[in-house]
């Protein structure tokens, strides 16, 4: 490729990246603007003061919501990684009658919309007395077909003969999983962890359904509360809350972007 083609390619890539990232950048600028500046259509604020961020924390208990979202997202991430690992291991290495059929039925649940299972899940959580608890917010998402499929594709790269040899040598299944399978599947595990955390962080409908106590609300509900009639024109305050909410996800995405792309590509190719 000639130098001019490389220059044109990088210019197009930079322009595309700027266009895609501009909404986030503009939200960051609005978070420092006063009401008049937003209505005037300014792009860059006249001053970078933290007034809107202070007001955002005072309007709603945003820090409490951030803590709740962090706890729930972490629980869902750990639960999915654990149960998807166990499920993928069983579907890959353990021989039992109807394994492939059961796996196809399990994968077919990905075609069922989440809204179709929301009512029975809510009734189960309410019967268990888990409303307004971290368990009610996280447990229904512990076992997901996508994570099991992703890890199964990775586990299939390990020769079955190796598993059989370890069984003959007296190595337990748990030891084989921990000492052999997981160390060579770090990329897929990191990919699944990042995907689960980001998906859980952005949940809105389920936390709204199973929580009535303000102390158990998550950040997405907090952002909606900030758009009430009282502060509907204070877009600087709203955007300050938005920036505080998306900042952890952006940091996580930037840090794990390479692993995320590599892990998803492995699953897609296989």
């Amino acid at each position: 490729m000639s130098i001019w083609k490389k220059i044109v390619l990088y210019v197009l890539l930079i322009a595309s990246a700027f266009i895609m990232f501009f909404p986030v950048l503009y939200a960051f600028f609005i978070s420092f603007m006063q009401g008049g500046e937003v209505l005037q259509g300014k792009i860059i604020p006249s001053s970078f003061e933290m007034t809107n961020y202070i007001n955002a924390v005072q309007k709603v208990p945003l820090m409490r919501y951030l803590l709740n979202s962090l706890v729930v997202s972490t629980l869902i991430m750990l639960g999915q990684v654990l149960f998807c690992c166990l499920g993928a291991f069983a579907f890959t290495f353990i021989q039992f009658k109807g394994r492939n059929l059961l796996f196809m039925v399990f994968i077919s649940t990905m075609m069922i919309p989440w809204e179709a299972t929301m009512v029975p899940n809510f009734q189960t959580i309410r019967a268990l007395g888990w409303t307004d608890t971290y368990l009610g917010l996280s447990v229904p998402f512990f076992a997901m077909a996508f994570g099991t499929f992703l890890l199964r594709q990775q586990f299939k790269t390990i020769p079955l003969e190796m598993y059989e040899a370890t069984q003959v040598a007296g190595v337990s299944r748990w030891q084989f999983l921990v000492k052999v399978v997981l160390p060579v599947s770090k990329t897929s595990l990191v990919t699944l962890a990042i995907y689960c955390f980001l998906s859980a962080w952005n949940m809105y409908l389920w936390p709204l359904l199973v929580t009535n106590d303000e102390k158990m609300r998550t950040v997405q509900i907090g952002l909606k509360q900030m758009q009430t009639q009282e502060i509907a024109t204070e877009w600087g305050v709203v955007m300050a809350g938005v920036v505080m909410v998306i900042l952890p996800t952006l940091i996580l995405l930037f840090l794990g972007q390479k692993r995320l792309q590599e892990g998803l590509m492995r699953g897609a190719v296989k």
Side-chain angles (χ1 to χ4, degrees):
M1 182 181 294
S2 64
I3 185 64
W4 289 108
K5 289 184 178 180
K6 290 184 178 180
I7 293 175
V8 172
L9 177 61
Y10 279 104
V11 168
L12 292 176
L13 289 175
I14 293 173
S16 301
F18 177 78
I19 292 173
M20 296 183 65
F21 193 72
F22 179 76
V24 178
L25 185 62
Y26 187 46
F28 176 74
F29 287 150
I30 292 179
S31 66
F32 293 98
M33 294 182 186
Q34 302 303 319
E37 293 180 315
V38 177
L39 297 177
Q40 291 173 7
K42 290 185 177 181
I43 297 180
I44 300 178
S46 58
S47 62
F48 289 86
E49 299 180 357
M50 304 299 294
T51 305
N52 289 332
Y53 288 88
I54 297 174
N55 292 335
V57 176
Q58 293 177 347
K59 293 291 183 180
V60 295
L62 194 59
M63 301 308 296
R64 175 68 185 186
Y65 295 162
L66 285 169
L67 177 62
N68 290 339
S69 290
L70 180 61
V71 172
V72 172
S73 300
T74 303
L75 288 175
I76 292 176
M77 178 187 68
L78 296 176
Q80 281 202 33
V81 170
L82 174 62
F83 287 103
C84 289
C85 277
L86 297 178
F89 183 87
F91 284 124
T92 304
F93 296 105
I94 300 177
Q95 298 289 338
F96 57 90
K97 189 175 181 179
R99 184 184 67 174
N100 294 334
L101 177 61
L102 180 61
F103 179 72
M104 294 301 297
V105 173
F106 183 65
I107 292 299
S108 66
T109 60
M110 295 175 62
M111 297 184 293
I112 302 176
W114 162 248
E115 290 76 11
T117 62
M118 186 174 298
V119 173
N121 278 330
F122 174 73
Q123 291 178 340
T124 302
I125 293 301
R126 186 176 60 179
L128 293 173
W130 286 357
T131 55
D132 291 320
T133 63
Y134 290 132
L135 291 176
L137 287 167
S138 59
V139 169
F141 302 94
F142 276 6
M144 303 299 287
F146 171 77
T148 305
F149 171 77
L150 181 67
L151 294 181
R152 178 179 177 269
Q153 297 302 100
Q154 171 61 33
F155 292 175
K156 288 179 67 176
T157 62
I158 301 174
L160 185 60
E161 292 78 8
M162 181 182 297
Y163 170 72
E164 294 174 347
T166 56
Q167 293 296 293
V168 174
V171 178
S172 66
R173 291 172 176 172
W174 180 255
Q175 290 175 327
F176 180 75
L177 172 64
V178 174
K179 295 182 179 181
V180 179
V181 177
L182 296 185
V184 300
S185 305
K186 291 181 180 180
T187 298
S188 296
L189 291 173
V190 172
T191 300
L192 179 61
I194 295 174
Y195 175 81
C196 294
F197 187 92
L198 295 178
S199 300
W201 186 272
N202 293 321
M203 283 195 307
Y204 173 76
L205 188 56
W206 180 251
L208 181 65
L209 185 64
V210 299
T211 57
N212 297 312
D213 189 352
E214 289 291 329
K215 295 182 179 180
M216 296 302 301
R217 300 284 187 174
T218 57
V219 290
Q220 304 302 330
I221 302 176
L223 289 180
K224 187 63 178 179
Q225 290 179 349
M226 295 180 66
Q227 300 179 35
T228 57
Q229 185 176 2
E230 179 184 355
I231 58 173
T233 57
E234 299 182 23
W235 288 109
V237 178
V238 175
M239 289 302 167
V242 170
V243 171
M244 295 175 65
V245 170
I246 67 175
L247 187 59
T249 59
L250 287 178
I251 294 175
L252 180 63
L253 187 60
F254 288 149
L255 292 177
Q257 182 179 9
K258 184 177 180 180
R259 288 290 183 92
L260 182 62
Q261 291 176 345
E262 183 180 352
L264 291 176
M265 183 62 67
R266 284 186 179 183
V269 172
K270 292 181 177 63

